[in-house]
Amino acid sequence: MRSVHALGVAALVMQALPDPTFAGEPKSGGIFRIYHRDSPGSASIHEGATYSINIPFMPVFNNLVIFDQHIAQNSQDTIRPELAESWVWSGDGKTLTFKLRKDVKWHDGKPFTSADVKCTFDMVMGKSQQKFRQNPRKSWYDEVNEVTVNGDYEASFNLKRPQPALLSLLASGYTPVYPCHVSPGDMRTKPVGTGPFKFVEFKANESIKLTKNPDYWKKGLPYLDGIEFTIITNRSTAILGFVSGKFDMTFPTEVSIPLLKDVKSQAPNAVCVVEPNNVSTNIIVNSSNPPFDNVDVRRAMAMALDRKAFVQIQFEGQADIGGTMLPAPAGLWAMPKEMLEQIPGYGPNVEKNREDARKLMQKAGYGPDKKLAIKVSTRNIPVYRDPAIILIDQLKSIYIDAELDVVDTAQWFPKVARKDYSLGLNLTGNAVDDPDQSFYENYSCGSERNYTGYCNKEIEKLFDEQSMEKDVNKRKKLVWEIDKKLQEDVARPIIFHSRTGTCWQPYVKNVTIMSNSSYNGYRYEDVWMDK
Amino acid sequence: MFAYIVRRLALMLVTLFGISVIIFVLLRVVPGNIVDILFDAAGFVDPADKANLEKELGLSQPIVVQYFTWISGLLRGDLGYSYVSEKPALQEILPRIPITAKLAGLALLFSASIGIPLGVISAVHQGTRLDYTLRVVSLSGLSLPSFWLGLLILMASVSMFGMMPIFNPNPKTWTEAFAIYAVPAMAVGFRSAALTMRITRSSMLEILRQDYIRTARAKGASENSVNYHHALKNAVLPVITVIGIEAAFLIGGLIVTETVFNIPGIARFLVEALRWRDYPIVQNLVMFIACVVVFTNFVVDLLYAAIDPRIRFGD
């Protein structure tokens, strides 16, 4: 209790102190130079599932609503109007109506109207003539019956049942409004938006350039003349580029904890922050085939995990242990620590957990003389490979002799879809810190991203129950219960939730890195440079 | 000579046809295609959507039809569209060629202008401290991976000068323009220079033991004249062969160097295209590189006759 008070006081003090990144009167001008970690496959946010697309192209667009770009923790309380002036829920919670701004124009000069809102969401829901090549977030709108318009400046989302979280999904960086008059193909190569920056060019493997939108509907913004992303795939070169002053900012949430030390030693004036990115490293288990069709073997595997060792080795202690939902304090929906520690395998005594795990393995017929030989499959990318190696080492403690099976990116998903694996080490990114996004996408029966095919009708009912619950406290308790059950069922054992760093030069002002998502904070309309 | 050239040209065409088949088949043998990758990134799979996209990109056609579509397009100058950027492949490839050509040219120039003189010096001073030093330098050149050398150069630039010579499409000064090509060219050309030096040295040592060299010395020719006029002229033939082969191998070194120095040339582009299974880019680029290699070897063969009058190509 005392520490809670202390934290509260510290938070108040921090709020009272002037934030150096906000100091001074904003200055206009300058090209904001950022390096980009890779060449994104397209410029269409709706067709992507990586923040490699969100970060450079979010400044081109607006949403109906958006998470406050200067409050690190996204929540329902931090949702602000953008293309919508206001919104209202119907009494039965089944209709969400937006009043739209009348002074907004697309970058090509055409007016923005409610028809664009309908077009966008019809396309996302797969209900329009025009189709996306890929539509990874279609399931977000499963509860939306249709989008209707009332005149040019009002649009309503009509739901099958109440879903308060819909507003959070609409506030994500993944939910821009697209123009009706531009085809999905053109949006992949020459996106047109209403946002603070206009698209100039995208040279694959080279650069992405955006320029100031002088007719932006928020008068006086943006401050920057433009943003230039230089694509540098070699991480060492990119970091050296930042250190030498070629770039004003690193690629957001891409500096690992060990690299952060290098940056701070070589560029001591750089402003660096470390935040959770709501990406969990987890294990996907093929429970349809032996040996993991045996629940005892699955449980033993989950109980053998020494999560603190993962965190220490990979993140020098700077990562978080939790269930499906992002751990507190950054995460809004995480179960309390004492509840988490009741889950088998999460208790602090690793040796005791492993002793229990060995008993389960012996019950399943394995032991020191009969070890279980399996392969741990994962993508051939360091953030996947490194924890897979630690996992293999830890599994040895419970008579599992695992071998690393690295899979080329092009083969990873087809392999998982074919269920051609025993154990897989996987990363799951959550765009919105909300149970609706996480539960339905990853654990719902028949969901495309439910790689393991986990299906529990009882839990499915609880998913719907929490989704409809308006009272946040009641919903939290339901979410904790669901999360606990998911871990007990070994649906997709979570190893840790990572944290990563972002650095910028001291003259860059008004940058906020989100603490519970790495997909939502890149509008950059009021970022400015004091130089 | 004319008949030889015609025969070589015909052989070149057959070689290129063979290469085109190998490239095409190998690319399709590698597991996964662009559709797998696109859907993998999205974490979403709907067999109907996948099938539609494969049809749209022409990947559902029989492989023979795909091959002839490609080759007939290539002969017409239509290289198809990049699956990723959805732009014409030619438009994607063309601007990158001069960048890599400049880099490769400078690297070869560096390799020849450093490797040949040092090889001669090493040979004529055989067994001296200078020879040992140069041999250590050449061994280090062969042992140091070019990515490591490149990174070392970048780190030294940042640490000593507070700047780094990575690619800038619009250099402000002539010196900057030179630096952004010369520094990476040196990094990639160092290995090649070391090899050239070793070949030159061993070739020179062999020539310097020949009777005609002794005769030249006996006739009172100066050391410089003996080394550079009489010996080097004959010793340079294997060096030219090596430089020709190195030109082909250079593309491997350039992939790493272009990545480290962030140069948007064709070598790095090829790797990225391969990662995405962007067939129109990969097969056309590899075909282009194959043409360069085949043509370089052809030129090297013709150079033999120009340099060594004893060599004659039979009709």
Side-chain angles (χ1 to χ4, degrees), chain A residues 188 204-205 237 379 408 449, chain B residues 40 86 96 260 268 277:
Chain A
R188 286 194 292 271
N205 297 302
T237 309
R379 288 167 100 158
D408 184 41
R449 294 193 77 177
Chain B
D40 175 80
E86 301 179 54
R96 290 175 162 90
V260 170
R268 197 181 115 202
R277 307 287 193 275

Side-chain angles (χ1 to χ4, degrees), chain A residues 200-239:
Chain A
V200 178
E201 66 172 5
F202 170 19
K203 287 188 183 168
N205 297 302
E206 209 172 314
S207 63
I208 297 164
K209 288 180 184 167
L210 310 178
T211 189
K212 179 180 186 154
N213 174 10
D215 303 318
Y216 190 43
W217 53 273
K218 283 191 183 176
K219 299 301 167 205
L221 295 180
Y223 295 125
L224 299 165
D225 286 339
I227 307 178
E228 271 184 28
F229 295 87
T230 304
I231 296 162
I232 304 184
T233 49
N234 185 295
R235 197 182 262 194
S236 306
T237 309
I239 294 285

Side-chain angles (χ1 to χ4, degrees), chain A residues 299-456:
Chain A
R299 286 203 175 126
M301 182 269 300
M303 287 163 71
L305 298 175
D306 178 359
R307 293 176 169 86
K308 274 191 181 161
F310 280 92
V311 169
Q312 203 55 45
I313 295 166
Q314 278 200 269
F315 298 91
E316 300 178 4
Q318 295 195 59
D320 304 290
I321 296 169
T324 299
M325 300 309 297
L326 179 71
L332 297 165
W333 304 93
M335 65 182 111
K337 196 179 170 212
E338 50 278 16
M339 190 174 175
L340 184 73
E341 287 184 351
Q342 285 171 16
I343 301 170
Y346 278 91
N349 189 342
V350 175
E351 261 323 299
K352 164 84 174 54
N353 295 340
R354 287 185 176 165
E355 192 50 53
D356 293 344
R358 280 192 283 269
K359 281 177 193 157
L360 286 174
M361 288 297 285
Q362 280 164 342
K363 192 180 150 199
Y366 300 100
D369 302 325
K370 191 191 171 194
K371 290 186 176 173
L372 170 60
I374 57 158
K375 283 186 176 174
V376 172
S377 305
T378 197
R379 288 167 100 158
N380 196 8
I381 305 175
V383 286
Y384 284 72
R385 229 169 32 219
D386 297 350
I389 291 163
I390 303 173
L391 175 66
I392 287 170
D393 182 57
Q394 294 194 1
L395 290 177
K396 282 184 185 146
S397 65
I398 58 158
Y399 318 127
I400 296 181
D401 262 350
E403 188 187 324
L404 184 66
D405 172 29
V406 285
V407 183
D408 184 41
T409 284
Q411 273 305 293
W412 173 243
F413 192 70
K415 188 179 172 84
V416 171
R418 285 197 309 271
K419 294 212 180 296
D420 177 19
Y421 68 99
S422 294
L423 279 190
L425 192 127
N426 186 50
L427 266 66
T428 304
N430 294 296
V432 181
D433 185 18
D434 189 279
D436 272 20
Q437 188 256 294
S438 180
F439 290 163
Y440 285 115
E441 209 169 289
N442 302 312
Y443 301 97
S444 176
C445 306
S447 159
E448 289 85 355
R449 294 193 77 177
N450 181 359
Y451 303 130
T452 58
Y454 172 80
C455 182
N456 183 329

Side-chain angles (χ1 to χ4, degrees), chain A residues 171-186:
Chain A
S172 162
Y174 267 145
T175 323
V177 177
Y178 275 14
C180 266
H181 59 278
V182 182
S183 70
D186 283 345

Side-chain angles (χ1 to χ4, degrees), chain B residues 38-62:
Chain B
L38 284 173
F39 280 83
D40 175 80
F44 172 83
V45 64
D46 179 334
D49 286 353
K50 279 185 81 169
N52 280 342
L53 189 52
E54 281 180 349
K55 195 176 168 191
E56 184 191 318
L57 298 173
L59 296 170
S60 53
Q61 290 177 321

Side-chain angles (χ1 to χ4, degrees), chain B residues 130-186:
Chain B
L130 182 63
D131 178 36
Y132 287 123
T133 310
L134 289 173
R135 283 164 70 186
V136 168
V137 170
S138 72
L139 261 179
S140 68
L142 289 173
S143 322
L144 294 180
S146 56
F147 77 89
W148 187 81
L149 187 63
L151 272 179
L152 213 62
I153 292 171
L154 287 182
M155 286 163 82
S157 304
V158 172
S159 153
M160 290 158 73
F161 310 113
M163 53 78 74
M164 62 189 287
I166 62 167
F167 188 77
N168 172 6
N170 305 305
K172 290 187 182 81
T173 59
W174 184 88
T175 44
E176 190 189 352
F178 180 73
I180 58 176
Y181 283 107
V183 176
M186 279 191 268

Side-chain angles (χ1 to χ4, degrees), chain A residues 39-301:
Chain A
S39 194
S42 90
S44 180
I45 291 177
H46 277 300
E47 298 196 42
T50 159
Y51 63 81
S52 286
I53 298 180
N54 280 46
I55 291 172
F57 296 109
M58 209 176 137
V60 175
F61 296 99
N62 288 120
N63 292 14
L64 287 169
V65 288
I66 183 90
F67 287 114
D68 191 312
Q69 296 291 287
H70 294 300
I71 299 178
Q73 190 179 45
N74 301 166
S75 74
Q76 288 264 351
D77 298 335
T78 69
I79 294 175
R80 306 283 179 256
E82 212 174 21
L83 290 175
E85 280 177 334
S86 62
W87 64 89
V88 63
W89 282 100
S90 63
D92 61 0
K94 287 166 74 173
T95 307
L96 174 61
T97 302
F98 293 95
K99 292 266 181 227
L100 306 179
R101 297 190 67 91
K102 295 176 180 162
D103 54 350
V104 181
K105 283 196 167 128
W106 295 102
H107 293 156
D108 57 10
K110 294 199 165 63
F112 157 76
T113 67
S114 56
D116 296 309
V117 178
K118 182 170 169 52
C119 270
T120 303
F121 290 97
D122 279 354
M123 231 175 344
V124 174
M125 291 189 287
K127 289 182 174 174
S128 77
Q129 289 287 317
Q130 292 193 316
K131 301 273 182 215
F132 291 130
R133 264 185 175 181
Q134 315 125 60
N135 193 357
R137 281 168 299 282
K138 190 176 167 206
S139 65
W140 281 17
Y141 305 96
D142 279 351
E143 300 309 322
V144 179
N145 245 339
E146 59 171 350
V147 176
T148 54
V149 298
N150 178 21
D152 277 350
Y153 299 105
E154 190 178 300
S156 298
F157 287 70
N158 302 297
L159 282 75
K160 295 171 192 163
R161 59 151 173 87
Q163 188 191 17
L166 178 66
L167 201 62
S168 290
L169 302 178
L170 293 174
S172 162
Y174 267 145
T175 323
V177 177
Y178 275 14
C180 266
H181 59 278
V182 182
S183 70
D186 283 345
M187 291 300 282
R188 286 194 292 271
T189 52
K190 300 182 285 279
V192 174
T194 54
F197 295 91
K198 289 181 177 185
F199 172 81
V200 178
E201 66 172 5
F202 170 19
K203 287 188 183 168
N205 297 302
E206 209 172 314
S207 63
I208 297 164
K209 288 180 184 167
L210 310 178
T211 189
K212 179 180 186 154
N213 174 10
D215 303 318
Y216 190 43
W217 53 273
K218 283 191 183 176
K219 299 301 167 205
L221 295 180
Y223 295 125
L224 299 165
D225 286 339
I227 307 178
E228 271 184 28
F229 295 87
T230 304
I231 296 162
I232 304 184
T233 49
N234 185 295
R235 197 182 262 194
S236 306
T237 309
I239 294 285
L240 280 170
F242 174 75
V243 168
S244 73
K246 263 194 184 299
F247 301 108
D248 304 311
M249 193 164 95
T250 62
F251 191 67
T253 74
E254 192 61 14
V255 186
S256 65
I257 304 292
L259 264 179
L260 207 61
K261 278 186 184 166
D262 279 358
V263 175
K264 286 302 284 178
S265 68
Q266 291 177 66
N269 292 330
V271 180
C272 294
V273 295
V274 175
E275 293 285 7
N277 50 18
N278 208 345
V279 175
S280 73
T281 297
N282 51 67
I283 304 169
I284 49 173
V285 188
N286 185 351
S287 54
S288 25
N289 291 323
F292 291 103
D293 57 342
N294 182 338
V295 69
D296 285 336
V297 178
R298 288 205 302 273
R299 286 203 175 126
M301 182 269 300

